[in-house]
Amino acid sequence: MTAKQTIEAGKAILGIEFGSTRIKAVLIDEESKPIAQGSHEWENQLVDGLWTYSTEAIWYGLQDCYADLRADVRKQYDVEIEALAAIGFSAMMHGYMAFNDKQEILVPFRTWRNTNTGKAAAELSKLFNYNIPLRWSISHLYQCILDNEEHVSDIKYLTTLAGYVHWQVTGQFVLGVGDASGMIPVDPATKTYDAEMVRKFDELIAPKGFSWKLLDILPKSLNAGESAGFLSPEGAKRLDVSGHLKAGIPVCPPEGDAGTGMVATNAVKPRTGNVSAGTSSFSMIVLEKPISKPYEVLDMVTTPDGSLVAMVHCNNCTSDINAWVGLFKEYQQLLGVPVDMNELYGKLFNKALEGDADCGGLMAYNYVSGEPVTGLTDGRPLFVRSANDKFNLANFMRAQLYGAIAVLKFGNDILFKEEGVQVDRLTGHGGYFKTAGVGQRMLAAALNSPISVMETAGEGGAWGIALLAAYAVNNPNKLSLPDYLEEVIFAGNTGVEIAPTAEDVEGFNRYIENYKRGLAIEMSAVQNKN
């Protein structure tokens, strides 16, 4: 079928992902190739000291994103979307969305970016003997309990952003196992919430006398490929305000952006991994066996089919680079020179390749928000240099690119050097890799490992959740998720690989040593600058 015929026949599949700065929709054909897309730009807000998106912004953003997709379909194919073979929703993981019995949100959505849960995360990590990150839903919940927040007694439902959207458009209170593993740890053997940790948590809060126990308020955990409900008539109207889209479409289990990133890079099999680098960055390594002990910088989550994954999550990545590129854009406009942002990014990123391997001593701290991996509960973006450092544009841009992935190195050094984890393939995706060969080379130097990038890397998580939707409805041979991706979707395509050079690795290591010493400057800035 042509793309137009696929859409007219209702055989196209839709994936929508709520990212930190953009909601993206990707429509794929029966061969899982993108044929149309839409997007909506949005930003989190700092309200009463907490990062949030309003529910109004969530629904307006979803509707505007879908309307943009419809417009793209009409422009390209002169056809209207009436039916689809399947839909999938994904979103930034973790955070806190609590609702009462009327499905009314009790407090504003608290996103992964918030770092106010330190006491709760520390106590739970000790109780479970398992690293519980600040941003996980269980940390938020327990912090609310420690802070005696009144709404806790009224909780009927607790979920993530992806789970919330899926619930509201299907009526099914469920969650993909990968996203569920960012609420409270999942047992890889049972592929649902760890029973012993659930028991310990219930015992911990029992003196509070709440009417609920933990499993009462959590979504049901589902594996990739399992049925997760259908688009309801109300859900169809909430998604497509024009009224063209019909109800009854199968919807796959909602997943987090970490899981969709793994799918989009064919990194769900043990000894594979991926690095997602955009507003935040995280690496995901699928393990052959559990690690020897808990580490504060390593989060244990799962793939969308329940395999154990070691995750290094960094709150900050490209936001500060974007701010600097915006400054260069202003300068260009001041000179009266037309600005093409893709060209501007490309030229500045490629200029970084001309810089010294250690950035000439320059350092960049990209901490727009707090960074738990380096122990900072708040952030102050900083550019640091000494008077005798080699201050030029190439070194400046290279320092920015190094700074964006510096924290990733901290956690991965533990995995590779202390735990001896073996990886056959590491794949990069996200905006950091958009300029061919540049971010890829920097990350190869940081991790001292070959990095692959596929042509589809720019499609990102929206494509990844579309693939999971396809897996749920187009898998007649009942292949496992790793085999489905390997044999059906990627068919042996492993992308373009760049191996690290000795000079780059040595240079990045010198940069990191300077970076570690300079963390005291960043900490001082947090303490002394409002």
Side-chain angles (χ1 to χ4, degrees):
M1 285 187 180
T2 65
K4 180 176 181 177
Q5 290 169 331
T6 300
I7 297 167
E8 287 178 320
K11 294 190 175 181
I13 291 174
L14 173 63
I16 297 180
E17 180 158 283
F18 290 75
S20 300
T21 59
R22 185 169 64 144
I23 304 170
K24 184 176 180 181
V26 170
L27 199 66
I28 62 173
D29 63 15
E30 290 183 285
E31 295 181 343
S32 295
K33 294 176 181 175
I35 53 176
Q37 63 179 20
S39 67
H40 169 81
E41 305 293 324
W42 70 339
E43 273 292 347
N44 52 191
Q45 306 295 319
L46 191 62
V47 178
D48 296 329
L50 295 171
W51 293 102
T52 186
Y53 302 84
S54 68
T55 52
E56 293 80 9
I58 292 167
W59 292 109
Y60 175 75
L62 176 65
Q63 291 162 0
D64 188 56
C65 177
Y66 185 82
D68 195 44
L69 173 76
R70 281 184 58 235
D72 187 42
V73 167
R74 290 198 307 274
K75 180 180 177 182
Q76 287 195 71
Y77 310 112
D78 191 28
V79 66
E80 185 61 67
I81 306 171
E82 301 280 354
L84 295 163
I87 302 175
F89 296 99
S90 64
M92 57 192 103
M93 287 178 69
H94 321 115
Y96 184 77
M97 298 192 83
F99 300 84
N100 63 18
D101 56 1
K102 297 177 182 176
Q103 300 186 16
E104 297 165 335
I105 196 162
L106 292 167
V107 290
F109 170 33
R110 297 174 183 179
T111 78
W112 58 271
R113 184 168 244 172
N114 291 295
T115 54
N116 64 307
T117 56
K119 189 174 191 302
E123 289 188 15
L124 292 175
S125 296
K126 185 176 180 180
L127 178 69
F128 297 155
N129 191 30
Y130 201 97
N131 179 43
I132 304 298
L134 302 179
R135 65 188 181 281
W136 280 16
S137 304
I138 196 71
S139 295
H140 283 278
L141 174 61
Y142 189 48
Q143 190 65 51
C144 291
I145 294 170
L146 292 176
D147 293 341
N148 294 309
E149 294 197 35
E150 291 182 5
H151 77 271
V152 175
S153 60
D154 295 326
I155 296 176
K156 177 71 173 177
Y157 306 96
L158 180 65
T159 189
T160 65
L161 177 54
Y164 167 62
V165 173
H166 180 98
W167 174 36
Q168 294 301 300
V169 301
T170 65
Q172 299 299 308
F173 191 62
V174 298
L175 205 56
V177 64
D179 205 4
S181 69
M183 297 196 78
I184 186 172
V186 159
D187 182 347
T190 63
K191 311 219 187 272
T192 190
Y193 306 108
D194 187 287
E196 181 64 11
M197 294 186 199
V198 168
R199 183 189 66 77
K200 287 182 176 180
F201 185 82
D202 284 337
E203 284 185 0
L204 176 67
I205 66 168
K208 295 287 185 179
F210 297 128
S211 62
W212 51 264
K213 290 190 174 183
L214 189 57
L215 291 184
D216 296 334
I217 62 174
L218 293 181
K220 181 182 179 182
S221 174
L222 296 177
N223 255 11
E226 289 192 79
S227 173
F230 300 86
L231 188 68
S232 67
E234 298 78 16
K237 291 174 186 174
R238 294 194 83 171
L239 179 58
D240 180 11
V241 295
S242 74
H244 286 90
L245 189 64
K246 294 181 175 64
I249 300 164
V251 187
C252 73
E255 264 300 347
D257 51 0
T260 58
M262 286 187 278
V263 171
T265 53
N266 191 19
V268 297
K269 185 182 293 185
R271 293 176 65 105
T272 65
N274 81 305
V275 174
S276 173
T279 304
S280 63
S281 67
F282 47 83
S283 62
M284 314 285 292
I285 309 296
V286 189
L287 302 177
E288 296 177 279
K289 60 180 181 180
I291 56 176
S292 64
K293 62 181 181 180
Y295 294 91
E296 195 171 336
V297 299
L298 295 179
D299 307 345
M300 307 310 297
V301 291
T302 77
T303 62
D305 64 338
S307 295
L308 197 62
V309 175
M311 178 184 196
V312 178
H313 184 283
C314 310
N315 276 8
N316 302 281
C317 187
T318 58
S319 292
D320 200 36
I321 293 176
N322 295 340
W324 282 107
V325 174
L327 195 69
F328 289 120
K329 171 190 173 184
E330 282 190 51
Y331 173 69
Q332 201 167 322
Q333 289 172 325
L334 189 65
L335 296 179
V337 179
V339 179
D340 179 318
M341 291 305 289
N342 287 331
E343 181 185 22
L344 183 56
Y345 272 100
K347 284 187 179 298
L348 288 171
F349 272 48
N350 278 298
K351 188 68 178 176
L353 297 177
E354 300 173 20
D356 296 313
D358 64 353
C359 307
L362 311 184
M363 290 185 298
Y365 296 90
N366 65 337
Y367 299 176
V368 173
S369 66
E371 191 54 78
V373 174
T374 48
L376 288 156
T377 58
D378 204 352
R380 301 289 183 274
L382 284 181
F383 171 65
V384 181
R385 69 184 180 100
S386 300
N388 57 352
D389 288 336
K390 297 178 184 176
F391 184 39
N392 56 44
L393 182 59
N395 280 338
F396 174 82
M397 285 306 302
R398 195 174 185 115
Q400 297 296 332
L401 288 167
Y402 275 12
I405 55 172
V407 181
L408 265 181
K409 181 174 175 60
F410 287 41
N412 281 283
D413 277 356
I414 291 173
L415 273 179
F416 298 141
K417 295 178 181 179
E418 297 185 30
E419 287 289 328
V421 169
Q422 300 292 312
V423 178
D424 296 327
R425 185 178 71 240
L426 268 176
T427 307
H429 74 117
Y432 185 81
F433 303 103
K434 191 171 182 180
T435 302
V438 180
Q440 196 175 353
R441 178 172 158 184
M442 305 299 168
L443 186 63
L447 302 186
N448 193 15
S449 173
I451 303 294
S452 297
V453 171
M454 300 180 184
E455 286 182 17
T456 51
E459 301 298 342
W463 185 57
I465 191 65
L467 295 183
L468 285 171
Y471 177 66
V473 297
N474 290 341
N475 184 22
N477 296 324
K478 303 299 180 186
L479 296 173
S480 68
L481 182 61
D483 287 346
Y484 179 80
L485 294 176
E486 194 75 43
E487 297 172 21
V488 178
I489 303 300
F490 292 95
N493 175 23
T494 57
V496 176
E497 184 178 273
I498 290 182
T501 67
E503 180 187 7
D504 282 351
V505 171
E506 184 183 342
F508 199 98
N509 286 338
R510 288 198 301 272
Y511 177 90
I512 279 293
E513 290 309 309
N514 285 335
Y515 185 97
K516 288 176 180 176
R517 287 191 293 270
L519 278 170
I521 307 169
E522 173 68 24
M523 290 177 182
S524 180
V526 169
Q527 292 164 3
N528 295 293
K529 187 182 186 307
N530 290 331

